[in-house]
Amino acid sequence: MNGRDEMLKKVQKLNFVMIDTGLYLNNQPENQAGQALFSKYQALHRQAKEEFEGAYGPLTYGGINTECDGWSWIKNPWPWEVED
Amino acid sequence: MWTYEKKLEYPINIKNPNPALAKFIITQFGGPDGELGASQRYLSQRYSMPFNEAIATLTDIGTEELAHMEMICAIVHQLTRNMTMEQIKEAGFEAYFVDHTAGLYPQAAAGFPFDALCFASKGDAITDLVEDMAAEQKARTTYDNILRMVDDPDVIDPIRFLREREVVHFQRFGEALRVVQDNLDCKNFYAINPEFDK
């Protein structure tokens, strides 16, 4: 697994905790432990996403840096692509 | 993957419910030239599309169509809120009401349900992009027809925005088609299908 794949997997893992915890909190909105878990992973995800985008390019429009990279949105490998 | 943004792309605030308008505006949710079909058409075509410009165009326009589907649903919802039984009968809204109450269901103005046959995905870059350009024009015509029948400025304003986006998308698909053709044999664009032949 190369550096990009490893860093992306970290973003995916942290984001999944947010997704799953968020679903739980929709029906248990007062749950303090759930809120703390969400908040912790929200910060970790934000940091990992910024690190990934700085190294390998944008995951969303918000991660685009035209000053450094130009219109990098179309340069990334697309998530469904595999190397032959 | 996708994440949800808890806002509309363009604001919608309809003061006066009017189920008679909802009856035909709903066609841009579930009709053959509606936003649901448009979003799924473009997002389905991306995977085998060659050239990053065209992939990005399909991804971003397909995503914007999801936002437009939400806008149409918001318009239909606001037009059908707080309805009395008298208003439902006067507007001829009984058939929809019996099946779906005031819930959102993807159907055409003529009442037939959403049909995936409307979202063409042929696996040929030129075929699909020409299809997409026609789709944008069909949606633009539909919005023009809707605008001929609506006199409420609260409805006209967001419908005009949606109509304008069809014109912009048509231009962007035209440019994507040009990028594809620039990468093909200029003497015979059909010598190969760049989505299949290597």
Side-chain angles (χ1 to χ4, degrees):
Chain A
M1 198 180 264
N2 63 33
R4 184 185 186 278
D5 287 349
E6 258 174 56
M7 222 165 173
L8 183 61
K9 196 164 188 183
K10 187 178 172 190
V11 175
Q12 287 168 317
K13 279 181 179 173
L14 295 170
N15 189 207
F16 182 74
V17 177
M18 289 172 68
I19 292 168
D20 202 39
T21 310
L23 284 185
Y24 177 81
L25 283 166
N26 285 341
N27 293 315
Q28 276 79 216
E30 307 300 330
N31 186 282
Q32 296 301 312
Q35 289 183 27
L37 187 73
F38 185 89
S39 179
K40 177 184 168 188
Y41 280 87
Q42 185 183 37
L44 289 170
H45 172 257
R46 188 181 299 135
Q47 190 188 346
K49 184 168 179 280
E50 276 174 21
E51 283 172 15
F52 178 91
E53 289 177 324
Y56 298 109
L59 291 168
T60 66
Y61 268 15
I64 294 170
N65 185 338
T66 55
E67 279 183 23
C68 294
D69 309 321
W71 192 245
S72 51
W73 187 240
I74 65 170
K75 290 180 199 161
N76 280 26
W78 298 92
W80 56 88
E81 287 176 345
V82 287
E83 289 191 28
D84 286 319
Chain B
M1 71 169 288
W2 274 263
T3 53
Y4 181 65
E5 289 199 23
K6 203 175 170 185
K7 62 174 168 57
L8 297 175
E9 188 185 0
Y10 186 92
I12 298 168
N13 295 295
I14 299 168
K15 288 183 280 296
N16 302 314
N18 188 343
L21 302 184
K23 265 172 66 183
F24 56 83
I25 291 176
I26 202 166
T27 205
Q28 285 302 80
F29 178 26
D33 307 315
E35 306 290 357
L36 171 59
S39 65
Q40 299 314 307
R41 179 183 309 113
Y42 308 149
L43 295 176
S44 300
Q45 289 174 358
R46 301 180 303 158
Y47 300 91
S48 57
M49 182 62 71
F51 314 121
N52 282 332
E53 293 88 342
I55 297 172
T57 300
L58 288 167
T59 300
D60 292 353
I61 296 181
T63 299
E64 190 180 351
E65 305 296 12
L66 291 171
H68 295 171
M69 182 176 80
E70 183 185 37
M71 283 180 64
I72 290 294
C73 289
I75 290 170
V76 170
H77 168 68
Q78 291 184 16
L79 287 171
T80 55
R81 72 191 196 279
N82 305 325
M83 292 183 294
T84 64
M85 290 318 295
E86 286 70 34
Q87 287 171 324
I88 288 170
K89 288 178 189 166
E90 276 170 32
F93 201 67
E94 303 100 312
Y96 186 94
F97 176 79
V98 164
D99 282 344
H100 312 292
T101 324
L104 264 292
Y105 178 77
Q107 67 174 43
F112 56 85
F114 177 75
D115 189 334
L117 286 170
C118 74
F119 79 84
S121 181
K122 200 68 177 174
D124 178 299
I126 292 179
T127 309
D128 280 348
L129 289 168
V130 172
E131 177 85 39
D132 301 343
M133 292 175 73
E136 296 294 333
Q137 289 298 340
K138 286 187 275 185
R140 194 266 309 155
T141 306
T142 308
Y143 283 125
D144 276 334
N145 291 343
I146 287 170
L147 287 167
R148 290 174 203 273
M149 293 188 286
V150 176
D151 55 8
D152 180 348
D154 293 346
V155 180
I156 289 172
D157 185 51
I159 294 288
R160 277 198 181 138
F161 173 83
L162 290 166
R163 179 199 176 276
E164 188 62 29
R165 298 308 294 160
E166 307 297 339
V167 178
V168 171
H169 291 172
F170 175 78
Q171 298 298 326
R172 301 287 89 85
F173 279 130
E175 292 158 3
L177 178 62
R178 196 196 64 222
V179 168
V180 169
Q181 289 179 328
D182 284 349
N183 281 281
L184 297 177
D185 177 354
C186 66
K187 293 199 175 93
N188 180 7
F189 290 146
Y190 309 104
I192 62 154
N193 171 7
E195 287 198 36
F196 186 75
D197 301 302
K198 295 292 171 202

